[in-house]
Amino acid sequence: MIIVMQAGTAPADLDRVVARVEALKLRPHVIVGTERTVVAVVGDERDAMGAGFEMLPGVASVLPILAPYKVASREVQAEPTIVTAGPLVVGGKSIGVIAGPCSVESSEQIVGTARAVKAAGATGLRGGAFKPRTSPYSFQGMKERGLELLAEARAETGLAIVTEVVAPEDVPLVVQYADVLQVGARNMQNYRLLEAVGRTQTPVLLKRGPAATVEELLLAAEYILDAGNRQVMLCERGIRTFEAHTRFTLPLATVPWLHARTHLPVVVDPSHGTGHANLVESMAAASVAAGADGLIIEVHPDPKCASSDGAQTLDFAAFERMMQVCRRVAEAVGRTLA
Ligand code: PEP
Ligand code: MN
């Protein structure tokens, strides 16, 4: 249910509405927009529609939220959410670019990559310290040492650090280093992890599960929003289909579809989405043309020697070329690529 407040409502009227919602054992999410303030009421709202909210001072109207995802829905917030983490700005006019290796491997590797991607125009540095690998025998990441190396790269370059957290018990450690917490595709429906990142105030990059529908992605985002963290980015990273010419199938219609239904920004990952370095530039450009608010790209000083995902990873020169192409496309669609 959405309680729409009158323009210029007194704070006391808003407080009264919030208190009444809490008294009904429901959760109020106050969303202050440029034109109106609304209170999205979530929980089992069956009794709330008949609770007389329309009679309270300052209330303009009371409406049901039709979408199953509530706080993520455009119905409650018409303006796009802009996620900001240091220099990284994702959403609105700005297309944020996050680049870096699949895994953190060494100081030289991560600091060198940070310098190169920054010079090419990225504002976020990705790098996995805790890696969710399909095989238990594959490289699992440098863990806390990897986080320290990411912090070193941030100290050198100022880039925002985007790194994955794979388990709820690791959240207190990873938030000490990360500017953005990545929830990986394999964990999109790990609801305890979603709640744990939702209790932080660190922005979250939520990747779509390879077998999840976009509606399930939005409901996963809703767990984070409902726990209190509004800085959520959705990430299309490709889905599993019968098709085998690419590692996953990257459906870019997701981007405008999501924009029509949610205010949350949408990031595209053409590295995992294709699995092939030679397809990344085209699909990054196509993502920008389709309205993506951000890109996350795997970049390594020497992709053939990368300890994970080398086949889909760009070297510095290829990343620089990709940025030039994407910048021109961004300009053509009225956006700026940072
Ligand atoms: C990654 O970003 O390196 C990663 C593991 O991605 P995904 O969760 O999309 O597979
Ligand atoms: Mn990877």
Side-chain angles (χ1 to χ4, degrees):
M1 187 176 93
I2 313 172
I3 302 170
V4 182
M5 303 302 293
Q6 287 162 0
T9 319
D13 290 344
L14 184 62
D15 292 348
R16 191 178 305 107
V17 168
V18 166
R20 178 77 70 89
V21 172
E22 285 168 348
L24 288 166
K25 304 263 182 294
L26 297 166
R27 280 186 304 291
H29 290 275
V30 178
I31 294 156
V32 183
T34 47
E35 295 192 355
R36 57 175 201 174
T37 293
V38 306
V39 183
V41 179
V42 297
D44 187 350
E45 49 179 89
R46 271 169 296 189
D47 297 334
M49 282 304 283
F53 281 103
E54 47 283 272
M55 257 99 87
L56 291 180
V59 173
S61 58
V62 177
L63 310 163
I65 307 176
L66 300 175
Y69 35 90
K70 307 289 177 192
V71 189
S73 171
R74 277 254 181 220
E75 295 168 72
V76 305
Q77 183 184 314
E79 303 98 53
T81 289
I82 299 175
V83 173
T84 307
L88 175 68
V89 182
V90 177
K93 280 243 161 214
S94 169
I95 302 172
V97 179
I98 302 160
C102 182
S103 305
V104 180
E105 295 165 7
S106 67
S107 168
E108 303 70 61
Q109 176 241 22
I110 195 68
V111 176
T113 305
R115 288 208 180 95
V117 300
K118 183 181 180 184
T123 50
L125 176 68
R126 61 150 293 146
F130 290 87
K131 292 303 301 177
R133 302 307 301 280
T134 302
S135 164
Y137 308 120
S138 302
F139 175 58
Q140 300 289 314
M142 294 180 78
K143 312 219 162 76
E144 189 162 0
R145 179 72 193 129
L147 296 174
E148 289 168 4
L149 296 178
L150 285 165
E152 186 187 325
R154 174 176 46 206
E156 288 284 327
T157 60
L159 293 176
I161 300 302
V162 181
T163 196
E164 180 159 355
V165 57
V166 294
E169 61 271 25
D170 295 339
V171 172
L173 172 71
V174 181
V175 286
Q176 291 175 43
Y177 296 91
D179 299 301
V180 174
L181 294 167
Q182 176 173 324
V183 174
R186 292 160 187 79
N187 267 321
M188 189 204 84
Q189 287 174 310
N190 180 342
Y191 299 116
R192 298 297 84 81
L193 179 62
L194 300 177
E195 287 166 353
V197 299
R199 285 191 294 267
T200 76
Q201 288 303 312
T202 303
V204 177
L205 178 75
L206 175 64
K207 298 188 94 178
R208 177 184 184 179
T213 65
V214 271
E215 188 158 300
E216 287 164 339
L217 172 63
L218 285 166
L219 285 165
E222 193 73 15
Y223 271 85
I224 304 170
L225 298 166
D226 190 39
N229 188 342
R230 299 269 182 83
Q231 289 276 290
V232 179
M233 298 173 258
L234 305 170
C235 179
E236 174 58 80
R237 47 75 77 209
I239 53 174
R240 177 81 24 103
T241 68
F242 55 82
E243 189 50 82
H245 76 294
T246 46
R247 183 180 179 194
F248 293 96
T249 297
L250 184 63
L252 292 182
T254 307
V255 178
W257 191 94
L258 283 169
H259 279 152
R261 285 158 185 84
T262 181
H263 50 85
L264 298 175
V266 183
V267 174
V268 178
D269 176 346
S271 305
H272 293 85
T274 63
H276 298 285
N278 62 346
L279 302 179
V280 169
E281 178 186 302
S282 308
M283 295 313 287
S287 304
V288 173
D293 302 294
L295 295 169
I296 180 164
I297 308 288
E298 287 187 336
V299 179
H300 189 284
D302 187 6
K304 65 182 179 312
C305 295
S307 49
S308 54
D309 285 351
Q312 66 195 33
T313 297
L314 303 185
D315 62 20
F316 297 163
F319 179 67
E320 161 74 41
R321 283 194 300 274
M322 185 214 87
M323 288 294 279
Q324 283 172 19
V325 171
C326 288
R327 212 172 270 119
R328 291 207 294 276
V329 178
E331 207 176 301
V333 295
R335 310 283 297 268
T336 50
L337 188 94

